[in-house]
Amino acid sequence: MAGQRVEVDGGIMEGGGQILRVSTALSCLLGLPLRVQKIRAGRSTPGLRPQHLSGLEMIRDLCDGQLEGAEIGSTEIMFTPEKIKGGIHTADTKTAGSVCLLMQVSMPCVLFAASASELRLKGGTNAEMAPQIDYTTMVFKPIVEKFGFKFNCDIKMRGYYPKGGGEVIVRMSPVKQLNPINLTDRGSVTKIYGRAFVAGVLPFKVAKDMAAAAVRCIRKEIRDLYVNIQPVQEPKDQAFGNGNGIIIIAETSTGCLFAGSSLGKRGVNADKVGIEAAEMLLANLRHGGAVDEYLQDQLIIFMALACGVSRIKTGPVTLHTQTAIHFAEQLAKAKFSVKKSEDEDASKDTYVIECQGIGMTNPYL
């Protein structure tokens, strides 16, 4: 299986953990031996962090591969994949490293495994610089399942910065092939709902204040819709540590989903957290795309693997998305085009990302 090693520069474009996630997932799927250099070269703490390491180790275990140079702070790894197998796989960041990012790297791989998989992911469920687990279940899941697979996501324990301690179990069966998707018809907003949570020692009033501030902010711009944001006190037995945050979802007549979310930090008042999430949601609704800025880059790898042409309409194309496209083209040889959307009024910054997928088939099914 071992052919010529593919060389990846981990310091270009987004220059962070995302390059590692996309390239190791594709390496695993395509059986391409890989060398990644200059990992997170420009970051304040360069090299592998605990969450990147646990993601790499998980991919290695998924396919009985070989991994060299994988330790905290390392800026170069070599990965030699073998056959992807199903079964139970565990990854533990031992920090507040995001379980959602662990899911991002492993999910495409286990779709093409020989049998069903159970991924036990431990770390932060609602962490900074990553999607919240609620985003994964409420937005990512229903949309990504349009590629023609289903997964089950069981939140056993929530974990927050700085301790982590959360656990999520993802179960999924393999597929023969992925269908292409077409997310270009935005429709009109029909529903806005969400959840504002507090965990640990934080008073319930904080959840109510976040929700109320978010509703007030949305009302200024969208007057005719009922906005239903539930304040929630996380049960003691289902949350590890202290945290607060909010996620708000807008659903459209064509089934598109958009989100805005924010996490509380020490010394930041609850209203501010609620308003930040509301403003993020409103910004994602203004550009006229059919996916929000956080879904964009997560769909690229699935579009690259699908059989046929996928299209998504987006707002401004993020650096994460450009990075995912670059490596999907380099490693999988998928063909992407990004064009300014024709059918918008010129004031809107809207794009259509189109991909001719490679039609990856599962060799075991």
Side-chain angles (χ1 to χ4, degrees):
M1 223 125 129
Q4 184 65 37
R5 230 173 244 293
V6 178
E7 300 282 340
V8 162
D9 181 344
I12 63 170
M13 301 177 79
E14 181 266 342
Q18 193 212 10
I19 293 178
L20 212 53
R21 286 190 292 279
V22 172
S23 55
T24 46
L26 288 170
S27 154
C28 177
L29 282 158
L30 302 163
L32 295 169
L34 181 72
R35 176 193 275 125
V36 187
Q37 290 165 298
K38 301 191 193 132
I39 295 168
R40 301 181 67 257
R43 297 295 199 254
S44 53
T45 45
L48 296 174
R49 305 302 305 144
Q51 71 265 33
H52 306 117
L53 188 56
S54 46
L56 282 174
E57 289 170 344
M58 183 174 209
I59 293 284
R60 176 197 63 199
D61 298 345
L62 279 177
C63 70
D64 278 334
Q66 270 139 12
L67 186 57
E68 294 158 61
E71 53 208 51
I72 306 284
S74 165
T75 56
E76 183 176 331
I77 58 123
M78 300 236 282
F79 175 55
T80 313
E82 293 291 334
K83 288 187 174 134
I84 304 173
K85 57 190 205 316
I88 296 174
H89 300 282
T90 303
D92 185 354
T93 66
K94 303 195 172 52
T95 63
S98 165
V99 296
C100 303
L101 297 181
L102 291 173
M103 206 185 295
Q104 268 182 36
V105 66
S106 51
M107 188 178 277
C109 301
V110 295
L111 280 173
F112 292 91
S115 60
S117 303
E118 180 175 301
L119 308 173
R120 297 182 176 178
L121 311 174
K122 297 177 183 179
T125 55
N126 299 74
E128 284 292 337
M129 308 297 292
Q132 295 194 43
I133 191 64
D134 309 274
Y135 183 90
T136 301
T137 58
M138 294 163 86
V139 178
F140 174 75
K141 181 181 190 305
I143 302 291
V144 84
E145 286 182 343
K146 293 178 190 286
F147 285 102
F149 65 92
K150 290 256 186 284
F151 72 94
N152 176 281
C153 184
D154 184 7
I155 305 168
K156 289 279 181 225
M157 179 71 74
R158 287 171 178 270
Y160 315 97
Y161 183 80
K163 292 198 181 111
E167 181 177 13
V168 173
I169 298 183
V170 178
R171 297 182 184 88
M172 57 199 300
S173 295
V175 291
K176 182 69 188 164
Q177 236 179 4
L178 294 176
N179 307 325
I181 60 165
N182 187 343
L183 294 175
T184 50
D185 181 6
R186 148 70 181 272
S188 52
V189 179
T190 51
K191 265 195 212 153
I192 297 180
Y193 51 91
R195 91 192 272 281
F197 72 87
V198 289
V201 299
L202 295 163
F204 187 53
K205 180 182 183 319
V206 169
K208 291 197 285 203
D209 289 352
M210 287 188 296
V215 171
R216 282 195 304 273
C217 181
I218 292 167
R219 279 274 154 71
K220 285 183 196 149
E221 203 157 317
I222 301 175
R223 291 186 187 81
D224 50 345
L225 277 180
Y226 174 61
V227 181
N228 179 16
I229 302 174
Q230 294 289 321
V232 181
Q233 172 83 57
E234 301 282 12
K236 288 271 185 279
D237 60 343
Q238 283 164 37
F240 184 83
N242 308 310
N244 67 299
I246 180 171
I247 179 162
I248 318 163
I249 313 280
E251 198 174 305
T252 76
S253 52
T254 52
C256 297
L257 296 164
F258 299 83
S261 64
S262 181
L263 287 166
K265 292 185 202 56
R266 235 183 222 138
V268 176
N269 81 17
D271 285 25
K272 202 171 161 193
V273 181
I275 289 165
E276 185 177 61
E279 286 181 339
M280 184 192 290
L281 175 67
L282 292 169
N284 270 310
L285 288 172
R286 277 182 211 119
H287 58 57
V291 299
D292 70 25
E293 59 179 314
Y294 301 100
L295 199 57
Q296 269 188 33
D297 65 283
Q298 297 188 62
L299 297 177
I300 298 299
I301 190 167
F302 297 100
M303 291 167 72
L305 296 169
C307 183
V309 177
S310 291
R311 280 184 199 86
I312 59 174
K313 189 189 273 189
T314 71
V317 179
T318 66
L319 181 57
H320 269 91
T321 298
Q322 291 165 17
T323 306
I325 289 173
H326 176 85
F327 288 100
E329 290 188 324
Q330 185 193 336
L331 297 167
K333 307 290 186 259
K335 294 276 182 285
F336 282 84
S337 73
V338 180
K339 295 192 178 77
K340 192 101 165 76
S341 176
E342 303 286 313
D343 53 346
E344 296 296 325
D345 57 51
S347 68
K348 293 221 163 139
D349 209 8
T350 320
Y351 298 83
V352 174
I353 302 174
E354 189 172 291
C355 172
Q356 175 67 58
I358 63 169
M360 171 93 188
T361 53
N362 189 326
Y364 311 107
L365 290 187

